[in-house]
Amino acid sequence: AQTVTQSQPEMSVQEAETVTLSCTYDTSESDYYLFWYKQPPSRQMILVIRQEAYKQQNATENRFSVNFQKAAKSFSLKISDSQLGDAAMYFCAYRKLSGNTPLVFGKGTRLSVIA
Amino acid sequence: DGGITQSPKYLFRKEGQNVTLSCEQNLNHDAMYWYRQDPGQGLRLIYYSQIVNDFQKGDIAEGYSVSREKKESFPLTVTSAQKNPTAFYLCASSIPTAAGGYTFGSGTRLTVV
């Protein structure tokens, strides 16, 4: 079974600085998708970024980028120029390539942003 | 606008009672999912349905039941057999390609009193 591990339960960053959240996963599949979701205090889940495993280029969405290392099964999220609104729980998730299979989530990292 | 609606937002249950959490979507998504969120546990899969009239158990299905009689609706019943039901419950739906990720509802907070 696939597993997703987020080894940092809590992280903090100064406003305007850069922070990296770690995620590793275990799978025997060669093609799959990886996601980062943000859950602010409202508890609404928001998709931050996605990565297709067959693409070598790291995905980027404005201030959010990933470092995808397929051989190491690592998928870290970098947040640049951190803002107070980035404070949230961040979940890493894995999904098989085929069909409507469920996402497998990590346990999350709580990010605090210090003004 | 299309989306997923979960109701109620807060729910209180007495011990020994069954309660049903509602999840409705107007996105025309085939697949729907229920997750439970506890502090420090992330999101754990309870049940999912890839098509009407069919559903599969997730990792923590004991004490829960679901139905999928309509494409738009995927209600979750928390039965009295669930020993520790107090948690935050999230419903989600997805399109038939893995790249789409999920669209989430806003969640239901269930508390046993």
Side-chain angles (χ1 to χ4, degrees), chain A residues 30-50:
Chain A
S30 58
D31 290 323
Y32 46 86
Y33 287 91
L34 297 164
F35 304 85
W36 279 98
Y37 280 89
K38 171 184 178 181
Q39 187 182 45
S42 68
R43 307 201 78 167
Q44 179 66 53
M45 295 286 282
I46 302 165
L47 177 64
V48 176
I49 200 166
R50 84 186 84 207

Side-chain angles (χ1 to χ4, degrees), chain A residues 93-109:
Chain A
Y94 163 97
R95 192 176 198 182
K96 288 174 62 174
L97 185 67
S98 57
N100 277 320
T101 53
L103 267 71
V104 178
F105 288 88
K107 293 186 176 182
T109 296

Side-chain angles (χ1 to χ4, degrees), chain A residues 18-38:
Chain A
T18 296
V19 64
T20 299
L21 308 183
S22 300
C23 174
T24 59
Y25 58 94
D26 185 26
T27 183
S28 58
E29 304 283 330
S30 58
D31 290 323
Y32 46 86
Y33 287 91
L34 297 164
F35 304 85
W36 279 98
Y37 280 89
K38 171 184 178 181

